[in-house]
Amino acid sequence: MGKDNSMNVLITGGAGFIGSRLCLKLIDKGHQVKVLDSLSAQVHGEEPESTSATYALIKDKVNFIRGTVTSREDLMAAIAGQDAIVHLAAETGTGQSMYDIERYSMVNIQGTALLLDILTNQAHQVKKVVVASSRSIYGEGKYIHPTKGEVYPSHRQEADLLNGDFEVMLADKEQLQLVATDEESKIHPSSVYGITKQVQEQLVMTVCASLGIKAVAFRYQNVYGPGQSLSNPYTGILSVFSTQIMNGNGIQIFEDGEESRDFVYIDDVVDATMLGLEKPEADGEVFNVGYGVPVSVKTVANTLLAAYGIEVPLKVNGKFRIGDIRHNFADMEKIKNMLGFEPRIDFDAGIRNFTAWVKKQQVKEDLLDASLEEMRLRGLFK
């Protein structure tokens, strides 16, 4: 896209893992980018302007505002003169959300409400909003029951988990077959984080439609790759395990290690998001963004150990966190058919890229035990 049809694009949370890469892609395609980001210490470190790798990627390349989506003044300054908004700003992490409820709700829900309130009641030139939703809104994934067909099991019961019965099941205890979750699947989040992402998505899609602003929601699966935070113990299993390995500590695997996730590489996520911004076919739609393949946590750990060539103990501890799901992976047919998007980087190639990057980074402090203690004290880790 040339200069003649370039856009002014605001990215909230644009100094983060996804946002920084999206900034570079937009600039490369001739767009002008403004970023609103708080440079949270949990993600960027205590002195982010000098130590954050993702902020360094965009520094001096974008119009940067250090501020927060919970401030009307900051948002007003950020929205001014923009044609489109990519709303990535959010507190992320299932476990932490279960006790840091006010902060997650303030940033994710109130921040989004404030953004939309300004678009509703103030003069602006915004024509499109893309919102980062999440696979967490689905809660547990989609299954096939031998006689009932498609089913959406509710959250697992603590008594079952304590007994080591980690798989999801209905009351009849029949074996269920896991299948891909499509966009029409039941929305029933099992964590505060998931609830806030559901509300974010619904607020954007509902309010923008009423204002005549085009809106697109992307339900990202587990995004990974070079640049993700290695110091945040609340999000990103690949980062958490990598930090444990690089510190020479043993890897702690919850439950029985057979729980699975859909891992999607950062470059693929950026490409999908760009299509949402540029293609009119995306307007008014919600899309899954994943690789479409479930990978067990045990497989993740062993793949990382092999890639790093470092031997540390691997312990499957049978413990669990309240709010975690068992399985969920994306059905990618809709985004393929409507936007022509297919992920290019498979898990093995992505892990090679990710671990090569990690090896070049300063080893971060392993904060997992401290984060789990925060949850244990509140009865959320057992």
Side-chain angles (χ1 to χ4, degrees):
M1 186 174 287
K3 289 283 183 184
D4 291 343
N5 47 8
S6 67
M7 294 185 289
N8 295 327
V9 182
L10 166 65
I11 307 179
T12 68
F17 174 39
I18 298 173
S20 59
R21 264 68 179 174
L22 182 60
C23 284
L24 299 181
K25 188 90 169 184
L26 284 163
I27 292 166
D28 187 56
K29 297 193 80 173
H31 302 298
Q32 290 76 49
V33 180
K34 186 187 286 188
V35 166
L36 174 65
D37 199 298
S38 67
L39 297 180
S40 157
Q42 182 169 304
V43 176
H44 296 275
E46 293 299 332
E47 298 179 358
E49 290 177 332
S50 59
T51 60
S52 170
T54 52
Y55 173 69
L57 283 176
I58 64 168
K59 186 180 179 182
D60 302 326
K61 296 178 182 176
V62 303
N63 180 355
F64 184 79
I65 299 172
R66 185 168 184 178
T68 172
V69 291
T70 59
S71 162
R72 180 176 289 272
E73 182 181 357
D74 292 346
L75 273 174
M76 292 278 287
I79 290 169
Q82 301 306 293
D83 302 309
I85 300 171
V86 182
H87 185 37
L88 300 177
E91 296 293 345
T92 60
T94 298
Q96 189 179 38
S97 79
M98 297 300 288
Y99 66 85
D100 207 349
I101 299 163
E102 182 180 21
R103 181 163 64 98
Y104 273 70
S105 298
M106 284 294 294
V107 174
N108 298 2
I109 297 175
Q110 181 61 22
T112 303
L114 190 53
L115 170 68
L116 295 169
D117 191 273
I118 293 169
L119 293 181
T120 302
N121 295 298
Q122 305 289 331
H124 63 83
Q125 63 189 52
V126 175
K127 302 174 187 67
K128 180 175 273 194
V129 176
V130 176
V131 63
S133 186
S134 168
R135 60 96 187 151
S136 63
I137 73 172
Y138 294 120
E140 291 292 351
K142 181 178 177 180
Y143 293 80
I144 303 297
H145 185 278
T147 59
K148 298 176 181 178
E150 290 181 5
V151 294
Y152 298 94
S154 59
H155 320 318
R156 296 175 294 170
Q157 298 301 305
E158 186 176 321
D160 292 330
L161 298 173
L162 289 169
N163 286 332
D165 296 329
F166 298 118
E167 288 295 347
V168 296
M169 61 188 74
L170 301 184
D172 60 16
K173 307 292 186 183
E174 286 278 6
Q175 184 84 29
L176 301 178
Q177 176 194 350
L178 176 68
V179 294
T181 307
D182 59 39
E183 291 83 353
E184 298 303 314
S185 296
K186 182 178 179 180
I187 305 293
H188 61 145
S190 59
S191 67
V192 172
Y193 173 65
I195 292 167
T196 66
K197 297 305 286 187
Q198 175 188 356
V199 175
Q200 265 193 326
E201 176 186 309
Q202 291 177 334
L203 279 170
V204 169
M205 300 308 289
T206 301
V207 175
C208 286
S210 74
L211 299 174
I213 297 173
K214 308 301 184 187
V216 186
F218 288 112
R219 296 171 179 170
Y220 299 137
Q221 290 277 338
N222 289 56
V223 186
Y224 74 100
Q228 69 185 97
S229 175
L230 297 172
S231 59
N232 185 354
Y234 292 100
T235 183
I237 187 175
L238 293 170
S239 294
V240 171
F241 283 176
S242 294
T243 297
Q244 289 182 304
I245 293 168
M246 300 309 280
N247 276 279
N249 298 335
I251 297 177
Q252 296 185 53
I253 295 182
F254 302 153
E255 303 185 15
D256 58 1
E258 297 303 324
E259 62 273 27
S260 65
R261 299 292 184 266
D262 183 344
F263 295 92
V264 57
Y265 194 68
I266 180 63
D267 293 356
D268 287 329
V269 169
V270 169
D271 288 347
T273 308
M274 287 293 298
L275 291 173
L277 264 177
E278 296 180 341
K279 277 186 171 276
E281 293 89 341
D283 297 349
E285 300 290 343
V286 299
F287 297 98
N288 286 333
V289 181
Y291 192 75
V293 176
V295 180
S296 76
V297 170
K298 200 181 289 183
T299 298
V300 170
N302 286 319
T303 303
L304 288 173
L305 287 171
Y308 290 123
I310 298 173
E311 288 189 22
V312 298
L314 190 159
K315 182 182 180 184
V316 180
N317 61 24
K319 296 183 178 181
F320 59 91
R321 300 185 306 181
I322 302 295
D324 276 351
I325 64 161
R326 182 66 172 174
H327 304 293
N328 187 304
F329 73 103
D331 184 312
M332 294 292 291
E333 285 302 305
K334 181 177 179 181
I335 195 169
K336 177 182 177 182
N337 293 336
M338 292 189 68
L339 303 185
F341 172 80
E342 291 187 77
R344 296 177 293 108
I345 310 296
D346 66 21
F347 185 68
D348 289 337
I351 289 293
R352 285 196 298 273
N353 295 344
F354 171 69
T355 54
W357 170 78
V358 171
K359 290 174 184 176
K360 299 174 184 175
Q361 307 307 304
Q362 180 180 349
V363 177
K364 303 294 185 183
E365 184 181 358
D366 182 0
L367 299 172
L368 180 63
D369 285 343
S371 72
L372 293 177
E373 181 63 11
E374 291 275 11
M375 297 192 69
R376 189 193 65 78
L377 290 171
R378 295 164 174 86
L380 298 169
F381 177 64
K382 303 188 177 187

